[in-house]
Amino acid sequence: MPPGKSPATISDVARLAGVSPGTVSKALNGRGALSHGTIARIQQAAEQLGYQPNALARGLLAGRTFTVGLITTDSFGRFSIPVMQGAEDALGPGRISVFLCDSRDDQIREQHYLRTLLERRVDGIIVTGRRQDPREPIGSDIPVPVVYAMTSSTDPADLSLVPDDAEGGADAVRHLLSTGRTKIGHVTGPRSFLASRLRTQGAEETLAAAGLELATGGPLYGEWTEEWGRQATDALLRAAPDLDAIFCGNDQIARGVADAVREAGRRVPEDIALVGFDNWEVIAAACRPPLTTVDMNLRELGRIAGEELLAAIDGHPSAGIRRLPCTLVLRESSRPRHAART
Amino acid sequence: MPPGKSPATISDVARLAGVSPGTVSKALNGRGALSHGTIARIQQAAEQLGYQPNALARGLLAGRTFTVGLITTDSFGRFSIPVMQGAEDALGPGRISVFLCDSRDDQIREQHYLRTLLERRVDGIIVTGRRQDPREPIGSDIPVPVVYAMTSSTDPADLSLVPDDAEGGADAVRHLLSTGRTKIGHVTGPRSFLASRLRTQGAEETLAAAGLELATGGPLYGEWTEEWGRQATDALLRAAPDLDAIFCGNDQIARGVADAVREAGRRVPEDIALVGFDNWEVIAAACRPPLTTVDMNLRELGRIAGEELLAAIDGHPSAGIRRLPCTLVLRESSRPRHAART
DNA sequence: GCCGTTTAGGCAAGGCTTTTCCAAACCGGA
DNA sequence: TCCGGTTTGGAAAAGCCTTGCCTAAACGGC
């Protein structure tokens, strides 16, 4: 079909096959009772014309569009992309397409997209972001289900899915303890992030349960950057020369720490073990040595968001904040002392 | 409007305002001649019911949906995201929404998405990818315009937009020459990538024009990784001890090179200047020192793709492969010798 | 050969909006 | 009072698909 010509309609197919439009619909959708020959004739006609049913007309009639909207404040960054892919994993098999909107953290854009999505009669909406700190709901009285993923709504009647950062922090520290480390420092991002505070909390509680505390008595809050990781390392090594492990709030910090530790003449992991957070492949794998880190399983989180949205669309909504488990990914940077190199 | 209730229709508004549906349509769209009072009454009724016109019905009638599809093979990675944002920049003001499809480099998925998009009667399609090597067109006889961005179609009748990698490579080398470097090495990714070959070609031609050639007589092809950058540096320093600059095929390689150069006891940029490619912020800015690199202006590329698509939708299609200029981003790693530190 | 039953396929409504064409009402002027 | 010209709003069709209902034909059995 050359551009310019409008696509074939069901009537075109009907005419070519010598039947009525209704019959074509039945043949192509397997409804009603039609003779074998007629079905074949119709299928062939449809094929010949390259007929594809108009989803607009279909949606108009069915009252649903098999489309969901995904609004992200993260500009499709490192966090929202896996969430999106997970959502697609859940929705794709049900033949549901995802409409993507990048609000770029702008209220106006967000409201504009919300309106656009509702005008297009999406069956549901997923809202995702870069941080899990609670945010205002995108709107009130929205006529379709909404699920928040990797961000959370201040309205407890909404369903929000977030990683269990506290448990992730606890996992990291438990792992370090299990490799025999006890003098553990903690360098992380801004205190203003709920995620930093939760990770720190999980780490401190785990240490406390073992009768220990953070090497410097508390976390070093700073930026999510390598630069901060390097700076913090200098401070940490000065304050606690007998340090034997550092738990970092994200992988970038950890990488900075790794470089600074090495350049200070200490070995990772022999002298100081390192654990990061995020499992950002490009950072964690390129780190020297490769970084043990906590994976937030964002794709799985997105998948569950998709499934929950489907359930809500089918009339089984959930509510509240659900914290999904993180997974520790073991690499070289926290290898137990004296363990054989693989 | 509580979930479950279906959204208000134009008839609901008409009933509430005591007029006919057609009149409501005119009032809300500013068509026809209506009395001031009627318009106000209708607007108030629409407001009260939270009425939003059904885009499906609208599209059905208009033959246009004000929607375009974007198919990416890149899983929304580093390359396709800026392209997407640029496309949105161009399309958003025209009230056009973008349907996003991630084919994950899988033929089956791609065809599935293509069908879905055409069923939904998008007005046009943008195809984007991770590398510019030519690929088969996504389909033949597609009834809507298609633009390829950051990838190219083997069909010369299609419009493909790609960065001008050769010119980017030339820019990098010209810059190094302008800072007085003459013994320039080149470490890059796999030879199988058209992008590597073009960047190399641009670099070599520029050197040749100055009566020079690459330090080792040719490029070192390898992987797009830091690890390869480090390895290649060792080889390069051994083969050409008097090296005074290295042009790298991407930022990851450059970062590996930077680390290896420093650890070999040479200074960047004093002894050896470095230029990367891609301007991948998280790598280039975290590099020590921060990396001078070639930016492919992908967002601009996406914007132009959006504009070209609009033009094609309006009946003014273009064709052929268009190479868009890259921009050199100056940072510390190629500071001229003896220049004052800023 | 006739009647009841099954089968195959047509008809038309419904879903929502826009737009064209018309009709009614109203005004002023003759 | 009647007529032409405006103004204002209504009626209906179009755009495409699905589905319930209905009819006509075919078929089987007696």
Side-chain angles (χ1 to χ4, degrees), chain B residues 3-342:
Chain B
K5 262 192 184 163
S6 55
T9 71
I10 202 169
S11 299
D12 297 330
V13 178
R15 210 165 9 248
L16 181 59
V19 297
S20 77
T23 305
V24 173
S25 173
K26 288 174 201 160
L28 297 176
N29 296 312
R31 300 282 155 76
L34 301 180
S35 80
H36 213 65
T38 308
I39 293 182
R41 211 167 66 248
I42 290 174
Q43 281 176 338
Q44 204 229 310
E47 182 85 14
Q48 184 181 330
L49 294 175
Y51 170 70
Q52 290 184 321
N54 186 325
L56 281 79
R58 232 179 201 174
L60 192 54
L61 199 53
R64 274 194 72 161
T65 53
F66 291 89
T67 299
V68 311
L70 191 150
I71 297 181
T72 175
T73 61
D74 181 29
S75 294
F76 312 121
R78 177 155 54 101
F79 299 122
S80 56
I81 290 171
V83 171
M84 232 191 71
Q85 292 181 332
E88 243 194 343
D89 288 344
L91 299 169
R95 313 262 122 196
I96 293 184
S97 303
V98 179
F99 235 127
L100 216 92
C101 309
D102 175 8
S103 77
R104 301 183 195 170
D105 230 338
D106 172 353
Q107 278 287 330
I108 309 283
R109 288 179 71 91
E110 185 170 284
Q111 288 307 305
H112 164 67
Y113 279 127
L114 178 60
R115 243 199 37 197
T116 306
L117 290 176
L118 294 179
E119 278 179 3
R120 282 176 168 63
R121 296 296 188 264
V122 294
D123 297 333
I125 295 177
I126 296 177
V127 179
T128 177
R130 158 177 30 208
R131 44 193 289 190
Q132 64 151 281
D133 302 61
R135 45 156 293 161
E136 292 292 307
I138 49 167
S140 54
D141 296 339
I142 296 181
V144 296
V146 179
V147 172
Y148 296 78
M150 190 62 197
T151 184
S152 59
S153 163
T154 50
D155 183 348
D158 288 325
L159 174 62
S160 306
L161 304 174
V162 294
D164 192 339
D165 285 285
E167 197 52 31
D171 283 346
V173 167
R174 267 195 290 270
H175 166 63
L176 289 173
L177 292 174
S178 80
T179 65
R181 322 286 173 151
T182 53
K183 292 162 204 90
I184 301 177
H186 181 38
V187 183
T188 189
R191 178 173 233 144
S192 62
F193 277 63
L194 177 55
S196 346
R197 300 197 301 276
L198 287 172
R199 291 168 195 176
T200 300
Q201 180 194 325
E204 286 187 320
E205 287 178 3
T206 304
L207 282 172
L212 298 169
E213 63 174 359
L214 283 174
T216 49
L220 297 182
Y221 287 110
E223 303 298 319
W224 296 120
T225 62
E226 294 190 33
E227 173 64 20
W228 163 239
R230 293 194 293 265
Q231 284 175 23
T233 303
D234 295 340
L236 213 47
L237 291 180
R238 226 176 302 119
D242 58 346
L243 206 69
D244 61 11
I246 305 178
F247 167 43
C248 302
N250 81 352
D251 289 345
Q252 284 164 283
I253 293 173
R255 184 158 183 198
V257 168
D259 286 343
V261 165
R262 176 160 23 84
E263 285 159 21
R266 313 265 195 122
R267 294 164 305 168
V268 177
E270 290 81 355
D271 302 323
I272 296 185
L274 232 49
V275 175
F277 212 108
D278 287 352
N279 194 24
W280 190 7
E281 199 66 23
V282 70
I283 304 289
C287 185
R288 287 184 296 164
L291 196 63
T292 292
T293 182
V294 179
D295 190 310
M296 293 185 282
N297 295 320
L298 291 179
R299 186 151 176 172
E300 174 69 4
L301 192 149
R303 203 183 55 69
I304 295 179
E307 281 178 357
E308 287 287 354
L309 189 64
L310 281 182
I313 291 172
D314 288 343
H316 308 291
S318 306
I321 294 185
R322 232 174 104 187
R323 302 191 181 279
L324 303 177
C326 300
T327 308
L328 193 71
V329 177
L330 295 181
R331 294 206 185 85
E332 187 78 8
S333 74
S334 68
R335 195 162 39 82
R337 284 155 165 156
H338 313 302
R341 204 178 208 123
T342 48

